[in-house]
Amino acid sequence: MKNILTAEKIMLNAKVANKEEAIRLAGQLLVRAGHVTEAYVEKMQEREQLATTYIGSGVAIPHGTNESKAEIQSTGISIIQVPEGVDFGEGNTAYLLVGIAAVGDEHLEVLSNIAILCSEEENVKRIVNAASAQEIITMFSEEV
């Protein structure tokens, strides 16, 4: 499970206009790292329209639809810090986005590890306030 999260897939202090832009950023980091195709980013947007990927505690976990599996080349996650927050609808504000692309059954494992890490509001605050990508990688490698 190494190389799932690397410094190139972390964006600190992003400023975004809306959740679509935030999801696009999370997706583009996965594209640039070679985990997914451009088409996967569109599937991430589609997935968000079906049901929100906001999971609580200021965290959203955008990912593709079930049909997007063909667009995934390898398992990876991207992280976007949005200190000012981005509206995810229904009064939910996300300060942290974790973009996910996972091959096969790895999806559930990655998802549950992230959910566990992010269920502690303290952890979310630490990730959102982290000053470096390395700090975030350390937190995730302890958990994920």
Side-chain angles (χ1 to χ4, degrees):
M1 293 292 258
K2 73 183 209 349
N3 298 335
I4 286 183
L5 181 61
T6 54
E8 302 76 43
K9 289 177 287 203
I10 297 175
M11 186 177 283
L12 304 176
N13 300 315
K15 285 181 174 39
V16 296
N18 51 44
K19 69 178 180 179
E20 288 77 20
E21 190 182 330
I23 291 167
R24 187 166 309 285
L25 284 176
Q28 286 306 128
L29 290 175
L30 294 171
V31 171
R32 279 209 300 267
H35 292 294
V36 299
T37 65
E38 282 287 343
Y40 187 79
V41 183
E42 295 315 312
K43 295 293 183 191
M44 290 172 86
Q45 301 286 6
E46 274 175 40
R47 171 69 184 80
E48 190 63 38
Q49 285 157 10
L50 295 172
T52 184
T53 56
Y54 183 82
I55 61 162
S57 302
V59 181
I61 304 183
H63 53 280
T65 59
N66 286 339
E67 298 81 69
S68 64
K69 294 228 178 281
E71 310 304 330
I72 302 171
Q73 283 137 2
S74 59
T75 298
I77 62 176
S78 62
I79 295 185
I80 311 275
Q81 276 180 343
V82 188
E84 290 167 19
V86 57
D87 182 8
F88 258 73
E90 293 169 34
N92 296 321
T93 302
Y95 299 92
L96 178 68
L97 275 83
V98 183
I100 298 182
V103 176
D105 298 339
E106 289 178 3
H107 187 79
L108 292 171
E109 191 185 334
V110 171
L111 215 52
S112 65
N113 287 335
I114 291 165
I116 291 164
L117 176 66
C118 295
S119 65
E120 300 283 331
E121 221 159 300
E122 227 170 275
N123 289 342
V124 175
K125 282 197 178 86
R126 276 176 59 204
I127 299 165
V128 171
N129 295 319
S132 72
Q134 195 48 56
E135 210 176 312
I136 294 173
I137 291 169
T138 301
M139 283 190 71
F140 272 81
S141 60
E142 285 165 9
E143 292 291 332
V144 177

